[in-house]
Amino acid sequence: MNVKKASILALTIGACLPPSPSLEAMPRGTKFVSGNLDPMIVDWHPEQRGDLEVAMKDGLVVVSYSEAGFQLLQDCRVDGTYDFMGMTRRERVVRLETADDIRANLPLGGLGLVAKLGGDLERGATLDIAMVMVGKLRSTWKHVTTNDLVGGKACDRASHVVRGAIVGAFAMDKGERTRTRAAAEIFGMALGGGHQTRGTIRFVDGQLSDCQGADPDAHRAPKQCGAVIRIELLPIDRGDTEASIAPELADTCPKPLVRMDGKCTRPASDVPAECSYGQGALCFSRCTAGNATSCAKLSLMVIRGDGTPKMPGNANFFARRACTLGEPAGCTLLGDILIRGIGAPPDAARAAPVYELGCTDGSAESCAKIGNLLVTGQGVRRDTKHAAKVLLKGCRGGARSACSDLGLLALGGSGFEKDLPLAAILFKKACDGEDSVGCSNAAYMSEFGLGTPKNQSLAIHRYEKACKLEEARCTWLAAMLQMGKGVPRDWVRSTWMFKRACFKGDVIACAIVHGYVDPTVRVDLDQVRSYVNIWKPTCESGIARDCSGLGVLMVALGD
């Protein structure tokens, strides 16, 4: 595999869409439904979606999304990029049966479509949306604060960032409640691709024939199967956001609506809707009825004891059911359970194929996990070439640790040709996603000008971010303070940081404290020897920081 040729393709939204109708312009009694964090955009005009799909080059898209409407903020952005990750092709038909369904799932043009349909909805009309999904556009950003926004006053109304999107092909057409149609019929095979209209309402983008040849390992969508179908929105943290579960398992519908058959709608007794995280009894009921995401949530809940008693022994069953039913996040959970030994002895060999399945089905985190096993040789034969392939897929899908691990391969020339500029890009992506190792390595690249311009202030900023994310990563910021490199020299503060990093388990920090500050501090010599074996070749390949660390470890060994 040539990772350089399969380089990260960054797509960013820069164009501004027309604002939604204001509340004053809405018919009496109607209300813009906000809060759906993965709305469909199949009702957007071709020019709007075209701008979204091809102009994603200037950073992450920032939007204003509230009961007043939905609008892209053209002059406000977040420094980051989107990449394409392929997944197993999936087809789905979503039926919007009420005005509330339409307004909740189509936040830009839903009001207009409701007005266009008029009384037909009461007489049994529906909006039928056929979707063929082949991949995702994703960023590594999973947490954005107001400090991350770039644009000054243009960001005043910012509420959400577009974290990613689902891509493929879609067709939307007026239907009837008494008649169920397959995706191919809604597309209308004879009509081909492109945007078309027939009757009162019809939108089509893409060709089923192109989607059928989609490759889960491809780095771009097929030519006529790359339309953006849904966008994934991430609320901007203004200081009042509580820590939550992974975005893949977080609730995305505004209450009291629930996720059911691919849409946000009011609960129905005859269809198993997705439960909300923490609802133990309901999640068990929905999982038993066959809702895959409810099974994945339940698995995590019984491990943590959230909304249900802690029952780690049952986590395997619920995660396996989620994975079998087609929920990629369930496969990731199952792999984690197996490798951590939750409810049973650790078994990396059994976790590996589960991660592979999750990776193929579109879980970036599964790609990161199997990639790490392939790099370390844990549970599988060590294979850095295959590791590079799955780590690239995971990184493109937004898994920050995959970007970090792939950056190390690029830095050391393991699995493919050494590529310092690519390593610098990958470490920045990992740091964007708040990966402490990625931030530390991105800082190192800036400190020495490796693959990126030398920039001491940027290096300090990234070392500080790494230290803030994880105290075990404070070692290199402490070293900068000790040397007075890029910052005023501060031996007292640096010594305190070395001690904190050592307390949190960093072997280098412990070796420094043991060798230069306090010889009574214990150092795990077996761990030191393992690091020596790892860093000898990287030092010989020219990684200066590893040479520094290697020297410190040698001192700790008395060599």
PDB file of all heavy atoms in Angstrom, residues 300-337:
ATOM      1  N   LEU A 300     -22.866  -1.292  27.114  1.00  0.00           N
ATOM      2  CA  LEU A 300     -22.051  -0.295  27.810  1.00  0.00           C
ATOM      3  C   LEU A 300     -22.642   0.038  29.174  1.00  0.00           C
ATOM      4  O   LEU A 300     -21.915   0.241  30.157  1.00  0.00           O
ATOM      5  CB  LEU A 300     -21.943   0.967  26.953  1.00  0.00           C
ATOM      6  CG  LEU A 300     -20.963   2.048  27.413  1.00  0.00           C
ATOM      7  CD1 LEU A 300     -19.552   1.496  27.507  1.00  0.00           C
ATOM      8  CD2 LEU A 300     -21.000   3.238  26.461  1.00  0.00           C
ATOM      9  N   MET A 301     -23.947   0.063  29.265  1.00  0.00           N
ATOM     10  CA  MET A 301     -24.614   0.392  30.519  1.00  0.00           C
ATOM     11  C   MET A 301     -24.338  -0.651  31.602  1.00  0.00           C
ATOM     12  O   MET A 301     -24.102  -0.301  32.764  1.00  0.00           O
ATOM     13  CB  MET A 301     -26.124   0.523  30.290  1.00  0.00           C
ATOM     14  CG  MET A 301     -26.528   1.798  29.542  1.00  0.00           C
ATOM     15  SD  MET A 301     -28.187   1.693  28.825  1.00  0.00           S
ATOM     16  CE  MET A 301     -29.166   1.313  30.272  1.00  0.00           C
ATOM     17  N   VAL A 302     -24.367  -1.942  31.246  1.00  0.00           N
ATOM     18  CA  VAL A 302     -24.160  -2.968  32.275  1.00  0.00           C
ATOM     19  C   VAL A 302     -22.694  -3.035  32.706  1.00  0.00           C
ATOM     20  O   VAL A 302     -22.388  -3.527  33.791  1.00  0.00           O
ATOM     21  CB  VAL A 302     -24.640  -4.359  31.788  1.00  0.00           C
ATOM     22  CG1 VAL A 302     -26.129  -4.341  31.484  1.00  0.00           C
ATOM     23  CG2 VAL A 302     -23.850  -4.839  30.575  1.00  0.00           C
ATOM     24  N   ILE A 303     -21.789  -2.543  31.849  1.00  0.00           N
ATOM     25  CA  ILE A 303     -20.377  -2.448  32.255  1.00  0.00           C
ATOM     26  C   ILE A 303     -20.199  -1.321  33.262  1.00  0.00           C
ATOM     27  O   ILE A 303     -19.535  -1.476  34.294  1.00  0.00           O
ATOM     28  CB  ILE A 303     -19.476  -2.208  31.031  1.00  0.00           C
ATOM     29  CG1 ILE A 303     -19.469  -3.430  30.110  1.00  0.00           C
ATOM     30  CG2 ILE A 303     -18.036  -1.897  31.477  1.00  0.00           C
ATOM     31  CD1 ILE A 303     -18.732  -3.204  28.806  1.00  0.00           C
ATOM     32  N   ARG A 304     -20.827  -0.177  32.992  1.00  0.00           N
ATOM     33  CA  ARG A 304     -20.651   1.011  33.822  1.00  0.00           C
ATOM     34  C   ARG A 304     -21.608   1.071  35.016  1.00  0.00           C
ATOM     35  O   ARG A 304     -21.372   1.792  35.970  1.00  0.00           O
ATOM     36  CB  ARG A 304     -20.851   2.275  32.977  1.00  0.00           C
ATOM     37  CG  ARG A 304     -19.818   2.488  31.895  1.00  0.00           C
ATOM     38  CD  ARG A 304     -20.154   3.767  31.132  1.00  0.00           C
ATOM     39  NE  ARG A 304     -19.126   4.126  30.172  1.00  0.00           N
ATOM     40  CZ  ARG A 304     -19.189   5.205  29.388  1.00  0.00           C
ATOM     41  NH1 ARG A 304     -20.239   6.016  29.474  1.00  0.00           N
ATOM     42  NH2 ARG A 304     -18.221   5.479  28.529  1.00  0.00           N
ATOM     43  N   GLY A 305     -22.726   0.356  34.898  1.00  0.00           N
ATOM     44  CA  GLY A 305     -23.750   0.483  35.922  1.00  0.00           C
ATOM     45  C   GLY A 305     -24.579   1.733  35.748  1.00  0.00           C
ATOM     46  O   GLY A 305     -25.081   2.295  36.720  1.00  0.00           O
ATOM     47  N   ASP A 306     -24.764   2.185  34.517  1.00  0.00           N
ATOM     48  CA  ASP A 306     -25.561   3.381  34.220  1.00  0.00           C
ATOM     49  C   ASP A 306     -26.998   2.983  33.901  1.00  0.00           C
ATOM     50  O   ASP A 306     -27.269   2.372  32.863  1.00  0.00           O
ATOM     51  CB  ASP A 306     -24.971   4.136  33.017  1.00  0.00           C
ATOM     52  CG  ASP A 306     -23.636   4.772  33.331  1.00  0.00           C
ATOM     53  OD1 ASP A 306     -23.336   4.962  34.517  1.00  0.00           O
ATOM     54  OD2 ASP A 306     -22.891   5.077  32.377  1.00  0.00           O
ATOM     55  N   GLY A 307     -27.926   3.282  34.807  1.00  0.00           N
ATOM     56  CA  GLY A 307     -29.327   2.969  34.561  1.00  0.00           C
ATOM     57  C   GLY A 307     -29.678   1.518  34.794  1.00  0.00           C
ATOM     58  O   GLY A 307     -30.827   1.117  34.575  1.00  0.00           O
ATOM     59  N   THR A 308     -28.717   0.738  35.215  1.00  0.00           N
ATOM     60  CA  THR A 308     -28.934  -0.682  35.481  1.00  0.00           C
ATOM     61  C   THR A 308     -27.817  -1.163  36.391  1.00  0.00           C
ATOM     62  O   THR A 308     -26.730  -0.562  36.393  1.00  0.00           O
ATOM     63  CB  THR A 308     -28.931  -1.492  34.158  1.00  0.00           C
ATOM     64  OG1 THR A 308     -29.215  -2.863  34.426  1.00  0.00           O
ATOM     65  CG2 THR A 308     -27.593  -1.391  33.458  1.00  0.00           C
ATOM     66  N   PRO A 309     -28.041  -2.221  37.181  1.00  0.00           N
ATOM     67  CA  PRO A 309     -26.948  -2.729  38.016  1.00  0.00           C
ATOM     68  C   PRO A 309     -25.758  -3.168  37.167  1.00  0.00           C
ATOM     69  O   PRO A 309     -25.926  -3.610  36.026  1.00  0.00           O
ATOM     70  CB  PRO A 309     -27.583  -3.928  38.745  1.00  0.00           C
ATOM     71  CG  PRO A 309     -29.052  -3.654  38.705  1.00  0.00           C
ATOM     72  CD  PRO A 309     -29.304  -2.939  37.415  1.00  0.00           C
ATOM     73  N   LYS A 310     -24.544  -3.037  37.716  1.00  0.00           N
ATOM     74  CA  LYS A 310     -23.356  -3.510  37.006  1.00  0.00           C
ATOM     75  C   LYS A 310     -23.431  -5.019  36.831  1.00  0.00           C
ATOM     76  O   LYS A 310     -23.556  -5.755  37.800  1.00  0.00           O
ATOM     77  CB  LYS A 310     -22.090  -3.147  37.780  1.00  0.00           C
ATOM     78  CG  LYS A 310     -21.597  -1.734  37.556  1.00  0.00           C
ATOM     79  CD  LYS A 310     -20.215  -1.548  38.169  1.00  0.00           C
ATOM     80  CE  LYS A 310     -19.681  -0.156  37.876  1.00  0.00           C
ATOM     81  NZ  LYS A 310     -18.310   0.011  38.393  1.00  0.00           N
ATOM     82  N   MET A 311     -23.373  -5.460  35.581  1.00  0.00           N
ATOM     83  CA  MET A 311     -23.397  -6.894  35.266  1.00  0.00           C
ATOM     84  C   MET A 311     -22.410  -7.165  34.135  1.00  0.00           C
ATOM     85  O   MET A 311     -22.809  -7.481  33.006  1.00  0.00           O
ATOM     86  CB  MET A 311     -24.808  -7.331  34.873  1.00  0.00           C
ATOM     87  CG  MET A 311     -25.856  -7.158  35.964  1.00  0.00           C
ATOM     88  SD  MET A 311     -27.500  -7.691  35.432  1.00  0.00           S
ATOM     89  CE  MET A 311     -27.902  -6.397  34.229  1.00  0.00           C
ATOM     90  N   PRO A 312     -21.103  -6.999  34.393  1.00  0.00           N
ATOM     91  CA  PRO A 312     -20.104  -7.144  33.328  1.00  0.00           C
ATOM     92  C   PRO A 312     -20.196  -8.464  32.580  1.00  0.00           C
ATOM     93  O   PRO A 312     -19.902  -8.518  31.383  1.00  0.00           O
ATOM     94  CB  PRO A 312     -18.772  -7.027  34.079  1.00  0.00           C
ATOM     95  CG  PRO A 312     -19.106  -6.265  35.323  1.00  0.00           C
ATOM     96  CD  PRO A 312     -20.485  -6.688  35.693  1.00  0.00           C
ATOM     97  N   GLY A 313     -20.635  -9.517  33.271  1.00  0.00           N
ATOM     98  CA  GLY A 313     -20.731 -10.822  32.611  1.00  0.00           C
ATOM     99  C   GLY A 313     -21.740 -10.846  31.486  1.00  0.00           C
ATOM    100  O   GLY A 313     -21.655 -11.691  30.586  1.00  0.00           O
ATOM    101  N   ASN A 314     -22.740  -9.932  31.516  1.00  0.00           N
ATOM    102  CA  ASN A 314     -23.760  -9.890  30.462  1.00  0.00           C
ATOM    103  C   ASN A 314     -23.378  -8.984  29.298  1.00  0.00           C
ATOM    104  O   ASN A 314     -24.058  -8.978  28.277  1.00  0.00           O
ATOM    105  CB  ASN A 314     -25.094  -9.402  31.042  1.00  0.00           C
ATOM    106  CG  ASN A 314     -25.681 -10.370  32.049  1.00  0.00           C
ATOM    107  OD1 ASN A 314     -25.409 -11.563  31.990  1.00  0.00           O
ATOM    108  ND2 ASN A 314     -26.472  -9.865  32.982  1.00  0.00           N
ATOM    109  N   ALA A 315     -22.320  -8.201  29.474  1.00  0.00           N
ATOM    110  CA  ALA A 315     -21.949  -7.236  28.444  1.00  0.00           C
ATOM    111  C   ALA A 315     -21.608  -7.916  27.127  1.00  0.00           C
ATOM    112  O   ALA A 315     -21.960  -7.429  26.047  1.00  0.00           O
ATOM    113  CB  ALA A 315     -20.767  -6.397  28.927  1.00  0.00           C
ATOM    114  N   ASN A 316     -20.915  -9.046  27.199  1.00  0.00           N
ATOM    115  CA  ASN A 316     -20.532  -9.781  25.991  1.00  0.00           C
ATOM    116  C   ASN A 316     -21.758 -10.145  25.160  1.00  0.00           C
ATOM    117  O   ASN A 316     -21.778  -9.949  23.941  1.00  0.00           O
ATOM    118  CB  ASN A 316     -19.747 -11.029  26.384  1.00  0.00           C
ATOM    119  CG  ASN A 316     -19.223 -11.814  25.186  1.00  0.00           C
ATOM    120  OD1 ASN A 316     -19.979 -12.189  24.307  1.00  0.00           O
ATOM    121  ND2 ASN A 316     -17.930 -12.082  25.174  1.00  0.00           N
ATOM    122  N   PHE A 317     -22.793 -10.663  25.821  1.00  0.00           N
ATOM    123  CA  PHE A 317     -23.995 -11.104  25.101  1.00  0.00           C
ATOM    124  C   PHE A 317     -24.652  -9.950  24.354  1.00  0.00           C
ATOM    125  O   PHE A 317     -24.982 -10.064  23.170  1.00  0.00           O
ATOM    126  CB  PHE A 317     -24.993 -11.717  26.084  1.00  0.00           C
ATOM    127  CG  PHE A 317     -26.324 -12.045  25.461  1.00  0.00           C
ATOM    128  CD1 PHE A 317     -26.489 -13.210  24.722  1.00  0.00           C
ATOM    129  CD2 PHE A 317     -27.400 -11.173  25.599  1.00  0.00           C
ATOM    130  CE1 PHE A 317     -27.723 -13.509  24.133  1.00  0.00           C
ATOM    131  CE2 PHE A 317     -28.627 -11.460  25.009  1.00  0.00           C
ATOM    132  CZ  PHE A 317     -28.792 -12.632  24.279  1.00  0.00           C
ATOM    133  N   PHE A 318     -24.842  -8.810  25.035  1.00  0.00           N
ATOM    134  CA  PHE A 318     -25.531  -7.681  24.403  1.00  0.00           C
ATOM    135  C   PHE A 318     -24.687  -7.068  23.277  1.00  0.00           C
ATOM    136  O   PHE A 318     -25.220  -6.692  22.233  1.00  0.00           O
ATOM    137  CB  PHE A 318     -25.866  -6.626  25.450  1.00  0.00           C
ATOM    138  CG  PHE A 318     -26.836  -7.101  26.503  1.00  0.00           C
ATOM    139  CD1 PHE A 318     -26.521  -7.003  27.846  1.00  0.00           C
ATOM    140  CD2 PHE A 318     -28.043  -7.666  26.138  1.00  0.00           C
ATOM    141  CE1 PHE A 318     -27.406  -7.439  28.818  1.00  0.00           C
ATOM    142  CE2 PHE A 318     -28.941  -8.114  27.100  1.00  0.00           C
ATOM    143  CZ  PHE A 318     -28.619  -8.007  28.442  1.00  0.00           C
ATOM    144  N   ALA A 319     -23.365  -6.973  23.496  1.00  0.00           N
ATOM    145  CA  ALA A 319     -22.509  -6.430  22.442  1.00  0.00           C
ATOM    146  C   ALA A 319     -22.469  -7.354  21.236  1.00  0.00           C
ATOM    147  O   ALA A 319     -22.486  -6.890  20.083  1.00  0.00           O
ATOM    148  CB  ALA A 319     -21.095  -6.214  22.984  1.00  0.00           C
ATOM    149  N   ARG A 320     -22.413  -8.650  21.484  1.00  0.00           N
ATOM    150  CA  ARG A 320     -22.397  -9.607  20.367  1.00  0.00           C
ATOM    151  C   ARG A 320     -23.696  -9.537  19.571  1.00  0.00           C
ATOM    152  O   ARG A 320     -23.699  -9.621  18.343  1.00  0.00           O
ATOM    153  CB  ARG A 320     -22.180 -11.025  20.900  1.00  0.00           C
ATOM    154  CG  ARG A 320     -21.938 -12.066  19.805  1.00  0.00           C
ATOM    155  CD  ARG A 320     -21.581 -13.411  20.397  1.00  0.00           C
ATOM    156  NE  ARG A 320     -20.349 -13.339  21.172  1.00  0.00           N
ATOM    157  CZ  ARG A 320     -19.136 -13.382  20.636  1.00  0.00           C
ATOM    158  NH1 ARG A 320     -19.010 -13.478  19.311  1.00  0.00           N
ATOM    159  NH2 ARG A 320     -18.074 -13.313  21.394  1.00  0.00           N
ATOM    160  N   ARG A 321     -24.823  -9.383  20.280  1.00  0.00           N
ATOM    161  CA  ARG A 321     -26.111  -9.265  19.589  1.00  0.00           C
ATOM    162  C   ARG A 321     -26.144  -7.986  18.747  1.00  0.00           C
ATOM    163  O   ARG A 321     -26.618  -7.995  17.613  1.00  0.00           O
ATOM    164  CB  ARG A 321     -27.253  -9.261  20.610  1.00  0.00           C
ATOM    165  CG  ARG A 321     -28.644  -9.118  19.996  1.00  0.00           C
ATOM    166  CD  ARG A 321     -29.729  -9.455  21.012  1.00  0.00           C
ATOM    167  NE  ARG A 321     -31.065  -9.190  20.499  1.00  0.00           N
ATOM    168  CZ  ARG A 321     -31.722  -9.976  19.668  1.00  0.00           C
ATOM    169  NH1 ARG A 321     -31.160 -11.105  19.239  1.00  0.00           N
ATOM    170  NH2 ARG A 321     -32.940  -9.654  19.261  1.00  0.00           N
ATOM    171  N   ALA A 322     -25.623  -6.884  19.295  1.00  0.00           N
ATOM    172  CA  ALA A 322     -25.581  -5.625  18.548  1.00  0.00           C
ATOM    173  C   ALA A 322     -24.741  -5.786  17.295  1.00  0.00           C
ATOM    174  O   ALA A 322     -25.123  -5.333  16.205  1.00  0.00           O
ATOM    175  CB  ALA A 322     -25.027  -4.509  19.430  1.00  0.00           C
ATOM    176  N   CYS A 323     -23.582  -6.405  17.442  1.00  0.00           N
ATOM    177  CA  CYS A 323     -22.683  -6.606  16.301  1.00  0.00           C
ATOM    178  C   CYS A 323     -23.334  -7.487  15.243  1.00  0.00           C
ATOM    179  O   CYS A 323     -23.280  -7.198  14.053  1.00  0.00           O
ATOM    180  CB  CYS A 323     -21.368  -7.217  16.795  1.00  0.00           C
ATOM    181  SG  CYS A 323     -20.100  -7.427  15.517  1.00  0.00           S
ATOM    182  N   THR A 324     -23.987  -8.583  15.677  1.00  0.00           N
ATOM    183  CA  THR A 324     -24.650  -9.506  14.756  1.00  0.00           C
ATOM    184  C   THR A 324     -25.791  -8.837  14.010  1.00  0.00           C
ATOM    185  O   THR A 324     -26.043  -9.114  12.834  1.00  0.00           O
ATOM    186  CB  THR A 324     -25.178 -10.733  15.524  1.00  0.00           C
ATOM    187  OG1 THR A 324     -24.090 -11.372  16.200  1.00  0.00           O
ATOM    188  CG2 THR A 324     -25.832 -11.728  14.584  1.00  0.00           C
ATOM    189  N   LEU A 325     -26.484  -7.916  14.699  1.00  0.00           N
ATOM    190  CA  LEU A 325     -27.614  -7.216  14.085  1.00  0.00           C
ATOM    191  C   LEU A 325     -27.168  -6.077  13.169  1.00  0.00           C
ATOM    192  O   LEU A 325     -28.006  -5.412  12.560  1.00  0.00           O
ATOM    193  CB  LEU A 325     -28.542  -6.674  15.169  1.00  0.00           C
ATOM    194  CG  LEU A 325     -29.363  -7.713  15.941  1.00  0.00           C
ATOM    195  CD1 LEU A 325     -30.077  -7.062  17.125  1.00  0.00           C
ATOM    196  CD2 LEU A 325     -30.379  -8.387  15.020  1.00  0.00           C
ATOM    197  N   GLY A 326     -25.850  -5.823  13.094  1.00  0.00           N
ATOM    198  CA  GLY A 326     -25.349  -4.843  12.133  1.00  0.00           C
ATOM    199  C   GLY A 326     -24.979  -3.498  12.692  1.00  0.00           C
ATOM    200  O   GLY A 326     -24.829  -2.534  11.931  1.00  0.00           O
ATOM    201  N   GLU A 327     -24.794  -3.368  14.025  1.00  0.00           N
ATOM    202  CA  GLU A 327     -24.374  -2.103  14.628  1.00  0.00           C
ATOM    203  C   GLU A 327     -22.853  -2.122  14.792  1.00  0.00           C
ATOM    204  O   GLU A 327     -22.319  -2.827  15.650  1.00  0.00           O
ATOM    205  CB  GLU A 327     -25.044  -1.916  15.982  1.00  0.00           C
ATOM    206  CG  GLU A 327     -24.556  -0.724  16.787  1.00  0.00           C
ATOM    207  CD  GLU A 327     -24.623   0.582  16.031  1.00  0.00           C
ATOM    208  OE1 GLU A 327     -25.740   1.074  15.782  1.00  0.00           O
ATOM    209  OE2 GLU A 327     -23.533   1.096  15.679  1.00  0.00           O
ATOM    210  N   PRO A 328     -22.109  -1.363  13.963  1.00  0.00           N
ATOM    211  CA  PRO A 328     -20.639  -1.385  14.042  1.00  0.00           C
ATOM    212  C   PRO A 328     -20.097  -1.028  15.421  1.00  0.00           C
ATOM    213  O   PRO A 328     -19.107  -1.592  15.872  1.00  0.00           O
ATOM    214  CB  PRO A 328     -20.209  -0.349  12.992  1.00  0.00           C
ATOM    215  CG  PRO A 328     -21.364  -0.269  12.043  1.00  0.00           C
ATOM    216  CD  PRO A 328     -22.583  -0.479  12.877  1.00  0.00           C
ATOM    217  N   ALA A 329     -20.759  -0.083  16.125  1.00  0.00           N
ATOM    218  CA  ALA A 329     -20.300   0.284  17.465  1.00  0.00           C
ATOM    219  C   ALA A 329     -20.402  -0.902  18.411  1.00  0.00           C
ATOM    220  O   ALA A 329     -19.640  -1.006  19.379  1.00  0.00           O
ATOM    221  CB  ALA A 329     -21.119   1.461  17.998  1.00  0.00           C
ATOM    222  N   GLY A 330     -21.341  -1.812  18.150  1.00  0.00           N
ATOM    223  CA  GLY A 330     -21.458  -3.022  18.954  1.00  0.00           C
ATOM    224  C   GLY A 330     -20.266  -3.930  18.752  1.00  0.00           C
ATOM    225  O   GLY A 330     -19.785  -4.577  19.701  1.00  0.00           O
ATOM    226  N   CYS A 331     -19.760  -3.994  17.525  1.00  0.00           N
ATOM    227  CA  CYS A 331     -18.562  -4.805  17.258  1.00  0.00           C
ATOM    228  C   CYS A 331     -17.354  -4.221  17.995  1.00  0.00           C
ATOM    229  O   CYS A 331     -16.538  -4.965  18.550  1.00  0.00           O
ATOM    230  CB  CYS A 331     -18.292  -4.858  15.757  1.00  0.00           C
ATOM    231  SG  CYS A 331     -19.604  -5.632  14.780  1.00  0.00           S
ATOM    232  N   THR A 332     -17.241  -2.899  18.008  1.00  0.00           N
ATOM    233  CA  THR A 332     -16.145  -2.262  18.735  1.00  0.00           C
ATOM    234  C   THR A 332     -16.235  -2.582  20.221  1.00  0.00           C
ATOM    235  O   THR A 332     -15.237  -2.927  20.866  1.00  0.00           O
ATOM    236  CB  THR A 332     -16.172  -0.736  18.539  1.00  0.00           C
ATOM    237  OG1 THR A 332     -16.138  -0.440  17.135  1.00  0.00           O
ATOM    238  CG2 THR A 332     -14.980  -0.075  19.210  1.00  0.00           C
ATOM    239  N   LEU A 333     -17.430  -2.482  20.779  1.00  0.00           N
ATOM    240  CA  LEU A 333     -17.634  -2.803  22.188  1.00  0.00           C
ATOM    241  C   LEU A 333     -17.279  -4.260  22.482  1.00  0.00           C
ATOM    242  O   LEU A 333     -16.624  -4.564  23.486  1.00  0.00           O
ATOM    243  CB  LEU A 333     -19.088  -2.543  22.579  1.00  0.00           C
ATOM    244  CG  LEU A 333     -19.444  -1.138  23.051  1.00  0.00           C
ATOM    245  CD1 LEU A 333     -20.947  -1.004  23.213  1.00  0.00           C
ATOM    246  CD2 LEU A 333     -18.749  -0.816  24.352  1.00  0.00           C
ATOM    247  N   LEU A 334     -17.715  -5.163  21.609  1.00  0.00           N
ATOM    248  CA  LEU A 334     -17.435  -6.580  21.813  1.00  0.00           C
ATOM    249  C   LEU A 334     -15.937  -6.837  21.792  1.00  0.00           C
ATOM    250  O   LEU A 334     -15.404  -7.584  22.630  1.00  0.00           O
ATOM    251  CB  LEU A 334     -18.133  -7.413  20.743  1.00  0.00           C
ATOM    252  CG  LEU A 334     -17.908  -8.931  20.815  1.00  0.00           C
ATOM    253  CD1 LEU A 334     -18.351  -9.488  22.161  1.00  0.00           C
ATOM    254  CD2 LEU A 334     -18.653  -9.637  19.676  1.00  0.00           C
ATOM    255  N   GLY A 335     -15.238  -6.222  20.860  1.00  0.00           N
ATOM    256  CA  GLY A 335     -13.789  -6.359  20.817  1.00  0.00           C
ATOM    257  C   GLY A 335     -13.138  -5.846  22.086  1.00  0.00           C
ATOM    258  O   GLY A 335     -12.227  -6.486  22.640  1.00  0.00           O
ATOM    259  N   ASP A 336     -13.610  -4.699  22.582  1.00  0.00           N
ATOM    260  CA  ASP A 336     -13.066  -4.131  23.822  1.00  0.00           C
ATOM    261  C   ASP A 336     -13.301  -5.070  25.004  1.00  0.00           C
ATOM    262  O   ASP A 336     -12.432  -5.242  25.871  1.00  0.00           O
ATOM    263  CB  ASP A 336     -13.707  -2.774  24.116  1.00  0.00           C
ATOM    264  CG  ASP A 336     -13.292  -1.696  23.120  1.00  0.00           C
ATOM    265  OD1 ASP A 336     -12.334  -1.925  22.358  1.00  0.00           O
ATOM    266  OD2 ASP A 336     -13.932  -0.631  23.102  1.00  0.00           O
ATOM    267  N   ILE A 337     -14.491  -5.654  25.058  1.00  0.00           N
ATOM    268  CA  ILE A 337     -14.829  -6.576  26.148  1.00  0.00           C
ATOM    269  C   ILE A 337     -13.906  -7.791  26.124  1.00  0.00           C
ATOM    270  O   ILE A 337     -13.408  -8.234  27.171  1.00  0.00           O
ATOM    271  CB  ILE A 337     -16.308  -7.007  26.028  1.00  0.00           C
ATOM    272  CG1 ILE A 337     -17.220  -5.829  26.367  1.00  0.00           C
ATOM    273  CG2 ILE A 337     -16.609  -8.203  26.924  1.00  0.00           C
ATOM    274  CD1 ILE A 337     -18.662  -6.034  25.947  1.00  0.00           C
TER     275      ILE A 337
END
